[in-house]
Amino acid sequence: MSILIDVATGGVRGGTSILYAGVGETVSERSGVINLGTEGSMLGGALAAYVLAAETGNPWLGVLGGAIAGAVLSSVHGVLVVRRGANQFASGLAVLFLALGLTSLFGAAYVGRTITSFQNYAIPILSDIPVLGPILFNHDPLVYLSYVVVPVVWYVLFRTRVGLLIRTAGERSEALTVHGFKVKNVRMLAVTVGGLFAGIGGAHLSIAYTNSWFENMIAGRGFIAVALVIFASWSPLRVFAGAYLFGAALALGPALQARGFGINQFALHVIPFVLTLVVLAVLGRRTISAAPAELKRVFENAPPDP
Amino acid sequence: MTAHVDTDVDPQAPPAQATWQSKLARAGLRALPHVGRWAAAIAGALLIFSILVSFKGANPIDVFGDMWTSTFSRSRSIGEIFIRMAPLALAALAVVVPARAGMINVGGEGQVIVGAVAAAGVGLATDQVLPGGVVLLLMAIAAILAGALWAGIAALLRLVFNVNEAVTTLLLNFVSLDLLLFLIYQPWRESPTQQPATRQLATEAQLPTLAATGVHVGIVVAVIAAVVLALALGRTRWGFRLAVVGGNPEAARRAGMPVTVLLLSALLVGGALAGLAGMIEFAGVETKLRPGFGTQIGYVGFLASWLARHKPVPVLIAAFTLAALAVGADSLQLDSGLPAATINILTALLLMAVLGWTAFRKKAA
């Protein structure tokens, strides 16, 4: 039993960075833009947060900086894709390389620096609930923030005018044009907001989870987030479940090793990636039919035989 | 179609001013705005890079000067460029072929690694018993098959389950990285007390070098592959059909083309090329598997293919440029005290300039 609680707790903690990035990517993809630069936005967010936390001693300023860095990087993707008509996949990877370069240039001085990081805070009463208490209510503030942010994003996307505009940009962009809205502006907004959340995700990783900075520390979490959005069928709420599943798969290795199981860590580390591939295959046709129509055009530049 | 207008000149027509000089001059004039855009794009990239570098207290002029002299003034570093260029060019060609059919292969990174893993598996099992030439051949075959198989997984997911290949090839990169680490941390590890790595490939089974240059024959393989692909894509029925599928799959299907087979073949050929790149890196440079083997060959190859607009022969130029930048990055670290990964900024800016500002618009997103 204790191992299940450990893995689930680790899943929430380790999945939170992916959750933020996945929710941001949902917003972006709902407007019709896929952003592989999410990985880069997370990287930029992780460093900016770390630098600000180290220099100011205030982790919340770190989160702010991380969000801004993530948004700036994704807006580069936005300009290339939305304004200049560049290929979405190529532009995303270019943004990742930009982030890799920038963070290694400006991050070298911060490797090994100590920072004031976020601390765990057990919520009174709630954290005493058996099983659920330790899994959900004994975490750092950014985890709690995600409990609020993700439903809010869902609400904005599906119950407000701005959300309607974003979804229309992804489903039937002509309809926006007809009503006098600029599709490009709506998409720029969605992509930038997406990067903002990815930046917060990166910040969680560097100043709440690992409490360190090193080159390329995101290690594929941004790409996982992109895949996650697809298998969550572009729903922010399902991204919750997916992100924690990934986090749990990542937490399984350390939990087993702590109990003396000598398993090659890479056999466990591969699980989330294989899991994603399997889920994508199983849900393949169903998810793709749920995709925003404009995004489908990006995906299906050459659809297979029917 | 319009390309034929120039060549199929009506013999009845007056020879006009169609001397080769005037043709060249007109072609030059037409290319001028194009060249201007490229020059402006590259200048912009260099300028932004200079500003960023100067933030860290380095003098950009010195940085470029050091990179230039250390990259091009020593014959050894020129050789080094060709050594790095070979796998990059192959990894870029691995993007070119699927792109021709409208598919995006972001999985070069993983295909390079499984190619190297297969080559190492075969090579280390046979290099003590078989002659070097045979081992090399077996390694190449194993790497090609492994790379094709790895891309084949993505092809299968695309063609059977309708999952986008850009996403699956990307995820498979991480699977292959874990496979590599799994093998060298345990089953294939040479010694538990030393750094995790396999043993070294026997010298006779390593790629031969081109007479006294120190450059292994990988570059020859890459150039041949580029030329063969240029012919295959430009002159064969297969290449033509791939282009039709890439341009308009619906039209291809109505014309009775085997769209599924064509898409599959494009991804398999791409994977095979990347697998071969992994074998070349293993047998020509690294000679043992270690953590970090072949890092970024696939991704940089992806960028090279986009720089070259998915054309095989220009891919060689793009791969050369990026290889030269990578060699220059070492000088960045040694002479200017900047992290070598800083060069990624310049690579990214160059690609962004090309993607956004050189009139290369595939379809508006």
Side-chain angles (χ1 to χ4, degrees), chain A residues 224 226-234 238 241-243 245-246 249 270-288, chain B residues 157 161-164 167-168 171:
Chain A
I224 291 186
V226 175
L228 183 63
V229 174
I230 298 170
F231 97 61
S233 309
W234 296 272
R238 276 190 288 258
L245 202 61
F246 277 118
V270 81
I271 290 174
F273 299 103
V274 175
L275 193 70
T276 317
L277 285 166
V278 171
V279 174
L280 285 177
V282 172
L283 298 182
R285 292 194 183 278
R286 225 180 60 214
T287 48
I288 210 74
Chain B
L157 288 165
F161 298 104
N162 205 8
V163 187
N164 176 260
V167 176
T168 53
L171 289 170

Side-chain angles (χ1 to χ4, degrees), chain B residues 25-365:
Chain B
R26 259 186 293 145
L29 274 181
R30 247 183 287 130
L32 202 59
H34 200 64
V35 171
R37 272 168 183 273
W38 272 84
I42 291 168
L46 290 174
L47 180 68
I48 297 175
F49 184 71
S50 307
I51 294 169
L52 288 169
V53 165
S54 58
F55 275 139
K56 290 300 289 183
N59 180 344
I61 309 277
D62 291 348
V63 168
F64 287 127
D66 288 341
M67 274 173 64
W68 183 268
T69 48
S70 70
T71 309
F72 290 110
S73 65
R74 289 194 296 265
S75 67
R76 228 198 53 175
S77 33
I78 294 176
E80 179 70 18
I81 296 176
F82 286 110
I83 290 175
R84 294 206 192 197
M85 172 186 164
L88 280 186
L90 286 168
L93 293 173
V95 181
V96 166
V97 183
R100 199 52 68 97
M103 284 187 295
I104 297 183
N105 178 14
V106 202
E109 192 81 5
Q111 292 146 15
V112 166
I113 288 177
V114 292
V117 164
V122 170
L124 297 177
T126 56
D127 64 347
Q128 309 293 340
V129 284
L130 293 175
V134 179
V135 178
L136 276 172
L137 187 66
L138 289 177
M139 285 196 293
I141 294 171
I144 285 172
L145 290 178
L149 174 80
W150 210 245
I153 300 175
L156 181 81
L157 288 165
R158 167 72 194 256
L159 298 171
V160 178
F161 298 104
N162 205 8
V163 187
N164 176 260
E165 77 287 344
V167 176
T168 53
T169 49
L170 190 59
L171 289 170
L172 284 167
N173 289 344
F174 294 94
V175 177
S176 57
L177 184 62
D178 282 327
L179 173 72
L180 171 77
L181 292 171
F182 178 86
L183 289 171
I184 59 182
Y185 269 83
Q186 264 171 1
W188 289 7
R189 191 169 183 163
E190 183 180 20
S191 148
T193 52
Q194 282 168 13
Q195 293 294 316
T198 63
R199 79 169 166 83
Q200 194 161 26
L201 186 68
T203 321
E204 311 81 63
Q206 295 175 12
L207 277 188
T209 51
L210 298 165
T213 55
V215 178
H216 64 68
V217 297
I219 184 64
V220 180
V221 176
V223 171
I224 292 174
V227 173
V228 168
L229 270 181
L231 293 174
L233 292 174
R235 297 261 188 273
T236 68
R237 199 173 66 152
W238 176 69
F240 171 71
R241 288 179 151 194
L242 281 189
V244 175
V245 172
N248 187 341
E250 199 48 47
R253 193 169 297 127
R254 291 199 185 160
M257 292 185 188
V259 175
T260 305
V261 174
L262 286 167
L263 290 176
L264 183 68
S265 69
L267 263 180
L268 291 185
V269 169
L273 287 162
L276 189 60
M279 177 266 177
I280 282 174
E281 186 69 3
F282 172 71
V285 181
E286 301 259 359
T287 69
K288 53 166 80 175
L289 295 179
R290 55 172 183 84
F293 175 95
T295 303
Q296 288 198 352
I297 290 178
Y299 291 128
V300 177
F302 182 87
L303 301 184
S305 178
W306 283 91
L307 278 177
R309 303 175 171 191
H310 307 316
K311 295 198 179 100
V313 175
V315 152
L316 293 175
I317 302 169
F320 178 87
T321 309
L322 293 181
L325 281 177
V327 173
D330 293 342
S331 113
L332 215 56
Q333 185 132 26
L334 294 174
D335 300 332
S336 311
L338 301 171
T342 304
I343 203 70
N344 288 328
I345 300 174
L346 192 54
T347 310
L349 291 172
L350 279 177
L351 184 71
M352 287 171 173
V354 169
L355 284 175
W357 282 275
T358 55
F360 177 44
R361 305 282 186 82
K362 229 188 134 191
K363 286 165 227 160

